Every structure is written in structure tokens, then in C-alpha cells.
Amino acid sequence: MKKCKICGIEKPDEQFKAFRAKDGLRRMNICNTCRSRRDRLKVMNSVDALSGYSDIDLIYALQLRGYQIITKS
Ligand SMILES: [Zn+2]
């Protein structure tokens, strides 16, 4: 059993996503339910944050950061 950092509910280990760390297999502190809720919010926020920019603005911003953008023509 493991206690979720967000909802504070104790859930079985399987409810926490496992990931590979330097010192072996570890599990996240956030249960799957809270994780999916958080990811959904994150997606909504990022869509919102980028909606004011055109594609060209975004490509240009990435190129400024050194990304090579290949557009299909
Ligand atoms: Zn939770």
C-alpha cells in the first residue's frame, strides 16, 4: 500500500505508475487517478496557452531555441 501525495488515499501499489530510476524500479507518489486528472489539466492549459499563437509563431519560437523544423510540402 502507498499513500497518494495528492488525494491522500492509501491505494495498492499497482495504482501507482512504476518507472525505472537509477536505483531500480520506483513508483510515483501520485496515484493513477490523480495523475490522469493532472495530465488532462496540463493538456488543457497548454492548449489554452498556445491558442493565441499561429503555427508560424510557434515554429519560429522553436527555431529560436535551436530546433530544426521540417515542414512537409
Ligand atoms: Zn490520488
Side-chain angles (χ1 to χ4, degrees), residues 4-9 11 16 30-35:
C4 169
K5 216 174 86 178
I6 294 197
C7 62
I9 299 171
K11 298 186 175 189
F16 296 83
I30 303 165
C31 73
N32 286 339
T33 313
C34 292
R35 206 163 46 82

Side-chain angles (χ1 to χ4, degrees), residues 9 32 43 47 63:
I9 299 171
N32 286 339
V43 169
V47 166
Q63 278 175 344

Side-chain angles (χ1 to χ4, degrees), residues 6-54:
I6 294 197
C7 62
I9 299 171
E10 271 196 16
K11 298 186 175 189
D13 285 0
E14 302 83 67
Q15 290 294 306
F16 296 83
K17 189 180 191 291
F19 64 94
R20 219 168 262 290
K22 267 185 233 150
D23 52 343
L25 205 63
R26 301 184 62 168
R27 286 188 186 272
M28 304 198 56
N29 294 324
I30 303 165
C31 73
N32 286 339
T33 313
C34 292
R35 206 163 46 82
S36 61
R37 192 188 301 138
R38 190 195 59 179
D39 287 351
R40 211 162 44 233
L41 278 173
K42 219 192 274 176
V43 169
M44 275 164 54
N45 282 338
S46 58
V47 166
D48 223 35
L50 296 176
S51 61
Y53 298 91
S54 71

